Amino acid sequence: MSSSFVRELLRLSALVLPIIQPCSAASLYSTYEFNPLEHLGGVAPYFEPQDPPTSPSTPQGCTASRAVYLSRHAAIYANDFDYEEYIEPFVSKLENHTTIDWTKIPALNFLANWEAPLTDAESELLTRVGRLEAAQLGVTLSFRYPKLKLPSRIWTSSAERTVKSAQSLARGLELNENGINVVSIYESEEAGANSLTPYKSCPAYSSSFGSEQSAVYLDKFTKPIVARLNAAAPEFNFTANDVYGMMELCGYESVIRGSSPFCDLNLFTPDDWLGWEYTADVMYHYNVGYGNRISGVVGLPWFNASANLLMGDASDEQDIYVSFTHRELPPMVFVAMGLFNNSEFGGSESAINDTMPLDRINYRRAWKSSNLLPFSSNVALERLNCSGSYGYDDGDYYRVLVNSAPQPLADCADGPGTTCSRAGFEKYVQDRVDMFQGYSEKCGVDYDNSTDTLSIYTDASVGNGTAVGKRYEAFPPHLA
C-alpha cells in the first residue's frame, strides 16, 4: 500500500470519525418513540395499548353471540382529588409568582402566557373529548357485533360523568332516536354488592390506600426533576407535588384543549414520565389492585353476574350489556379474574407486593395502570359460537377483552386463540368465586340488608331507565 494512499486514508478518517463517533447503534437503527399520553395512568386519554398484541378479531370459525362490557367513564376536566391536591395549588402558586420572567427560561417559557384549562366548578365534568370517546365506543360496538341486536338498556352509576358517558355511548350505538334507555344505579354507601360502585358500600375499603407507598416513589422520581427546575427558576421553589401536578396537566389539558405544553419531552423526559407512571401504578396496586386484600372481593360480584349472563340460555335477554362506573371498579374486577398479575408465572400471592418495589421501577410488571385505566377503558366478556375451528370441537367458547386486546385467562386456555371452553370457563368462574366470595363478611358491613350479589341486570324493580334522545334536531319541525 503506497504511503500517499495511507496518508489520504488517514486524512479522510480524521474528517469522518468525529461524525461517526457520537452516533450510537440506537440512533442508527432505532424506531424509538415515546408518547407521554400513553403513560399517564388514570389521566390518560383512551388508547389501545395492544397488551398483549393478540388480534381482537374472533378466532377462525367463531362469531360472537353475547357480550358484557364494563367501562370507566370518559375523559373529564379533572378528578376532584387531583385538582385540589396537585393542580389548583400549582396554578395558585404560578399566579402568585408574577415577577418571574418565564420567557427567558427554556422549556418553561410557555408559562409566560399559559392559562389554566379548568376551574374547580368544572372538575369532574365530562369534556367534549370525553363525549367523543364514549360515542366512539358505541360505534366500535356496532361494528364489532353487526349481527347482535342493539341493547334496549345501558346501566350506569349515578354520577353525572358516568351518566353522560352512557348517554354518549347510546348516541353512538343506536340507529334510531330513543332506541336505548339509560338505567341509573344510585351510588349508595349501603347497597352491598348490588351496585356499580360496590367499593363505596365496603367499609374495609378506603380511598387513601396506596397513598403512603406511592409517596415514597414520588419523592424518589421527582428529586432530580425538582433540582433541575429550581436551578432554572429558583424563585418558584418547585416541589414534588408541583411536578406531579404539572405532569397530570399533560393529560387533563389534552382532553380539554386537545394538546398541552406540559407534554413536551424537552420539559419532562421519557424516564421522567415512566417515573410518574410507576408512582401511579404503586398507588393503584395498593388501592384497588393485588396489594389490597379486599380488591378481588369487591370485583367478584360484577364478574360473577356477567359470567352468568353469558352462560344463560334465555333468548329474550339482551345480546349486549354495557355498564359505566368509575376508575376503582375495573381493576378490582381484574384482580377477581386474575388478570395482569405480576406473580402469575412465578412467585406467590403472598409475595405480590415484592413485585412493586418502592426503590426502583419493575419494568417487567404486568400491572400498568396506563394500559388498564385510561379514560373510557373497558373490559368485555364475550361468548363465542365456534364451528369449524381447526383443531377444536364445535360449541361455545368464552374470552375477555381489555381495551380491545384479548386476554389469556388464568388456568383456562383450552379454546382457539385466548378462548376458554364452556366447561373450562365454568370451572374458572367457580374457582374465582371460591377464592373471593363473601362480600358482606369480608367488607365488614355494619348496615342492614347487605347482599353479596349483583342483580341489577335481571331485577325488574330496577326499572327500564330513561331514553337518551338526540342533543339537537337536524331540521326545525316546520322544515321537516
Side-chain angles (χ1 to χ4, degrees):
M1 184 179 295
S2 68
S3 59
S4 60
F5 178 79
V6 172
R7 285 196 300 271
E8 182 65 14
L9 183 62
L10 291 173
R11 186 183 71 82
L12 291 174
S13 297
L15 293 173
V16 174
L17 285 177
I19 300 174
I20 295 178
Q21 286 172 343
C23 296
S24 66
S27 62
L28 285 172
Y29 303 109
S30 175
T31 58
Y32 181 80
E33 294 180 353
F34 191 91
N35 184 354
L37 293 175
E38 296 181 358
H39 298 274
L40 272 170
V43 186
Y46 180 73
F47 75 104
E48 296 181 348
Q50 298 181 351
D51 179 27
T54 46
S55 172
S57 300
T58 55
Q60 183 270 326
C62 299
T63 57
S65 57
R66 187 168 293 173
V68 188
Y69 277 74
L70 179 68
S71 178
R72 183 193 174 194
H73 61 75
I76 59 174
Y77 281 84
N79 170 273
D80 54 1
F81 176 81
D82 291 341
Y83 180 80
E84 294 167 4
E85 186 74 10
Y86 302 109
I87 297 174
E88 195 279 331
F90 168 74
V91 172
S92 295
K93 189 174 178 180
L94 183 64
E95 292 172 347
N96 290 331
H97 284 75
T98 57
T99 61
I100 300 176
D101 187 357
W102 294 107
T103 62
K104 296 181 178 178
I105 303 175
L108 291 172
N109 54 16
F110 70 91
L111 290 177
N113 300 306
W114 181 81
E115 295 181 357
L118 73 157
T119 64
D120 183 35
E122 292 171 320
S123 66
E124 301 283 345
L125 298 180
L126 214 63
T127 68
R128 287 180 294 175
V129 169
R131 293 174 187 270
L132 177 62
E133 286 177 340
Q136 187 171 12
L137 177 58
V139 174
T140 296
L141 298 187
S142 70
F143 281 98
R144 182 172 289 164
Y145 307 113
K147 296 184 179 180
L148 301 187
K149 60 178 180 284
L150 295 179
S152 58
R153 293 185 293 172
I154 293 173
W155 290 261
T156 176
S157 65
S158 57
E160 180 179 359
R161 57 194 179 279
T162 53
V163 172
K164 294 297 184 183
S165 297
Q167 292 173 341
S168 296
L169 178 135
R171 292 188 179 109
L173 181 57
E174 67 185 357
L175 298 176
N176 300 306
E177 185 173 349
N178 298 332
I180 300 175
N181 286 4
V182 171
V183 181
S184 178
I185 306 298
Y186 180 60
E187 297 183 10
S188 172
E189 294 183 357
E190 297 185 355
N194 196 29
S195 82
L196 291 169
T197 51
Y199 50 90
K200 292 190 174 185
S201 298
C202 180
Y205 171 76
S206 171
S207 59
S208 66
F209 288 161
S211 297
E212 179 180 347
Q213 292 87 349
S214 62
V216 175
Y217 201 79
L218 171 65
D219 288 340
K220 177 179 175 58
F221 102 83
T222 58
K223 186 175 181 179
I225 305 174
V226 168
R228 170 169 57 84
L229 296 180
N230 281 332
E235 293 178 59
F236 195 80
N237 189 27
F238 285 93
T239 66
N241 278 10
D242 290 333
V243 171
Y244 197 82
M246 293 166 71
M247 298 177 85
E248 282 193 320
L249 278 165
C250 167
Y252 283 128
E253 188 174 16
S254 292
V255 299
I256 298 170
R257 293 174 170 165
S259 64
S260 172
F262 289 100
C263 300
D264 192 337
L265 294 180
N266 290 318
L267 175 58
F268 300 116
T269 69
D271 286 346
D272 294 339
W273 290 109
L274 294 178
W276 190 101
E277 180 181 44
Y278 190 70
T279 301
D281 290 353
V282 168
M283 187 278 290
Y284 285 117
H285 169 77
Y286 285 99
N287 187 274
V288 291
Y290 288 92
N292 184 350
R293 65 174 183 82
I294 209 68
S295 295
V297 174
V298 177
L300 176 69
W302 182 86
F303 169 57
N304 194 26
S306 300
N308 288 333
L309 289 174
L310 288 183
M311 293 187 289
D313 296 323
S315 60
D316 58 343
E317 293 178 349
Q318 295 187 179
D319 288 342
I320 303 173
Y321 293 79
V322 183
S323 299
F324 282 88
T325 183
H326 300 274
R327 72 174 79 184
E328 290 85 356
L329 186 55
M332 291 175 153
V333 170
F334 298 151
V335 174
M337 298 177 66
L339 301 177
F340 308 106
N341 184 348
N342 292 342
S343 297
E344 181 178 0
F345 294 103
S348 66
E349 290 294 335
S350 62
I352 187 68
N353 291 343
D354 293 340
T355 69
M356 298 295 288
L358 303 182
D359 60 345
R360 60 193 182 280
I361 296 177
N362 172 10
Y363 291 102
R364 307 297 183 188
R365 66 195 183 279
W367 185 263
K368 289 187 178 181
S369 58
S370 303
N371 292 359
L372 312 183
L373 279 179
F375 289 122
S376 289
S377 59
N378 56 86
V379 54
L381 278 64
E382 295 180 327
R383 184 179 72 195
L384 308 179
N385 184 266
C386 299
S387 177
S389 296
Y390 297 114
Y392 297 95
D393 295 335
D394 294 350
D396 287 340
Y397 292 84
Y398 301 81
R399 73 169 182 170
V400 175
L401 308 177
V402 175
N403 298 328
S404 295
Q407 303 295 318
L409 297 178
D411 303 320
C412 191
D414 59 348
T418 60
T419 67
C420 178
S421 69
R422 170 90 183 203
F425 189 67
E426 288 176 340
K427 182 181 184 303
Y428 162 73
V429 173
Q430 188 58 54
D431 288 344
R432 309 313 291 185
V433 169
D434 293 341
M435 191 179 300
F436 294 115
Q437 65 184 340
Y439 173 96
S440 299
E441 177 184 355
K442 293 177 181 176
C443 280
V445 299
D446 51 5
Y447 51 86
D448 297 331
N449 301 318
S450 180
T451 177
D452 292 354
T453 60
L454 178 67
S455 60
I456 60 173
Y457 303 119
T458 56
D459 185 355
S461 67
V462 171
N464 291 322
T466 305
V468 175
K470 301 299 182 186
R471 292 185 61 193
Y472 63 92
E473 293 182 349
F475 300 98
H478 67 279
L479 295 179

